[in-house]
C-alpha cells in the first residue's frame, strides 16, 4: 500500500477545482494524498485535458442514456480497479445514490459554491447557485466542502469560507470570486485534512 492516500477526482466540466488540487499537490499543500485517477461523465470536459497535462490517468464514465445503476456499477469498477481510497467531487454534476454513497462513508468529499445550508440541494449547481444568491439579495456567500451522503449537499461540513457580494456583481463575476477566494483554497486544504486523518486511521 502506498504511503499516501489514493485519490480519484470526479469532474464534469472546466476543472478549475481539479487544477487547484493538482497545483496543491505540486506545492506540497496536499502531502498526505496523491491524485491517481480523474473520471469524467462528460467526454468533452476540459478537466480531462488538465489531468492528462499533469500526467494523471483519466477515464470517461458516461451518464447519458445509462441507468443510474449501470452508471454507478461502472464507476465503482473504475474506482476499485484503481485502488481509490478517497473520492473528490470537483464540479461533478451527477447525483450519486445512497447505494453508492453508503459504500464510501466519509470517503467522498464535494465542493459546493455557497455557504450550506443556503442555496444548495437539488437544482443548485454551477452558475444557478450564484443567480439564486443574487436574486435573494444576500450580502455574503461563499463555498463549502463537505462529506457526501445520500442527501444532496447534506453531509457533514468540513470547511467553509465566506465571500462578500459587491455592487454590480453578476452571476459570472460572483462565481469567479467565489472560486478564487474560497473554492480553490478550501478544497485542497480539506483534501489534505481528510487524507491526513485517513493516514492516522491506517496507523
Ligand atoms: C464549481 O463552482 C463547483 O463548486 C460547482 O461547479 C463549478 C465547477 O467548476 N459545483 C457544483 O455546483 C456542485 N453542486 P470547475 O469545473 O471549474 O471546478
Amino acid at each position: 500500500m502506498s504511503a499516501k492516500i489514493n485519490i480519484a477526482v470526479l469532474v464534469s466540466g472546466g476543472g478549475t477545482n481539479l487544477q487547484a488540487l493538482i497545483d496543491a499537490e505540486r506545492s506540497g499543500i496536499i502531502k498526505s494524498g496523491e491524485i491517481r485517477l480523474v473520471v469524467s461523465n462528460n467526454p468533452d470536459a476540459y478537466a480531462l485535458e488538465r489531468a492528462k497535462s499533469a500526467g494523471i490517468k483519466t477515464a470517461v464514465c458516461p451518464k447519458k442514456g445509462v441507468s443510474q445503476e449501470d452508471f454507478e456499477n461502472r464507476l465503482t469498477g473504475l474506482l476499485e480497479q484503481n485502488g481509490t481510497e478517497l473520492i473528490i467531487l470537483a464540479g461533478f454534476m451527477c447525483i450519486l445514490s445512497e447505494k453508492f454513497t453508503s459504500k464510501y462513508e466519509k470517503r467522498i468529499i464535494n465542493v459546493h459554491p455557497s455557504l450550506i445550508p443556503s442555496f444548495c440541494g437539488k437544482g443548485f449547481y454551477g452558475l444557478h447557485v450564484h443567480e439564486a444568491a443574487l436574486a435573494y439579495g444576500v450580502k455574503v456567500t461563499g463555498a463549502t466542502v463537505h462529506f457526501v451522503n445520500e442527501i444532496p449537499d447534506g453531509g457533514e461540513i468540513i470547511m467553509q469560507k465566506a465571500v462578500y457580494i459587491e455592487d454590480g456583481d453578476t452571476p459570472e463575476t460572483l462565481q469567479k470570486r467565489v472560486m478564487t477566494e474560497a473554492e480553490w483554497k478550501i478544497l485542497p486544504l480539506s483534501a489534505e485534512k481528510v487524507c491526513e486523518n485517513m493516514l492516522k486511521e491506517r496507523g
Side-chain angles (χ1 to χ4, degrees), residues 67-85:
S67 71
Q68 184 74 19
E69 195 177 2
D70 287 351
F71 169 68
E72 290 183 354
N73 284 342
R74 167 96 207 288
L75 186 57
T76 308
L78 280 168
L79 299 169
E80 284 175 358
Q81 280 156 25
N82 286 278
T84 301
E85 295 173 282

Side-chain angles (χ1 to χ4, degrees), residues 16-84:
T16 63
N17 278 290
L18 168 67
Q19 192 65 55
L21 291 165
I22 293 170
D23 294 347
E25 197 183 313
R26 282 197 183 129
S27 71
I29 291 172
I30 296 177
K31 51 183 187 296
S32 308
E34 187 182 358
I35 305 167
R36 302 266 288 274
L37 177 69
V38 171
V39 184
S40 175
N41 62 301
N42 167 14
D44 301 321
Y46 185 66
L48 290 170
E49 302 308 316
R50 295 180 188 272
K52 285 175 196 157
S53 303
I56 302 167
K57 184 174 172 185
T58 62
V60 175
C61 184
K63 174 82 180 61
K64 252 193 197 155
V66 180
S67 71
Q68 184 74 19
E69 195 177 2
D70 287 351
F71 169 68
E72 290 183 354
N73 284 342
R74 167 96 207 288
L75 186 57
T76 308
L78 280 168
L79 299 169
E80 284 175 358
Q81 280 156 25
N82 286 278
T84 301

Side-chain angles (χ1 to χ4, degrees), residues 11-19 47 50 89-93 110-114 121 124-130 143-144 146 153 175 178-179 183-184 187:
V11 296
S12 299
T16 63
N17 278 290
L18 168 67
Q19 192 65 55
R50 295 180 188 272
L89 310 185
F92 186 61
M93 301 304 180
N110 177 49
V111 61
H112 182 77
S114 75
F124 286 98
Y125 59 90
L127 209 55
H128 299 303
V129 179
H130 306 290
T144 303
H146 62 93
D153 299 323
Q175 179 181 53
V178 168
M179 282 177 159
E183 293 185 51
W184 300 345
L187 183 59

Side-chain angles (χ1 to χ4, degrees), residues 83-189:
T84 301
E85 295 173 282
L86 176 68
I87 302 165
I88 302 182
L89 310 185
F92 186 61
M93 301 304 180
C94 304
I95 303 255
L96 295 165
S97 75
E98 181 169 7
K99 189 172 165 222
F100 184 92
T101 57
S102 61
K103 236 185 308 195
Y104 292 97
E105 210 191 330
K106 292 275 177 81
R107 296 292 177 262
I108 314 173
I109 69 173
N110 177 49
V111 61
H112 182 77
S114 75
L115 293 175
I116 290 175
S118 289
F119 312 115
C120 64
K122 213 165 176 270
F124 286 98
Y125 59 90
L127 209 55
H128 299 303
V129 179
H130 306 290
E131 285 165 357
L134 289 175
Y136 197 95
V138 292
K139 301 300 175 205
V140 183
T141 184
T144 303
V145 178
H146 62 93
F147 285 112
V148 173
N149 64 8
E150 70 283 4
I151 303 158
D153 299 323
E156 184 187 322
I157 290 172
I158 301 165
M159 241 176 243
Q160 290 189 302
K161 190 160 189 290
V163 173
Y164 284 100
I165 283 158
E166 291 177 5
D167 288 346
D169 259 339
T170 63
E172 289 79 9
T173 60
L174 185 57
Q175 179 181 53
K176 188 74 203 280
R177 188 152 6 86
V178 168
M179 282 177 159
T180 51
E181 289 182 12
E183 293 185 51
W184 300 345
K185 292 186 175 149
I186 64 171
L187 183 59
L189 290 174

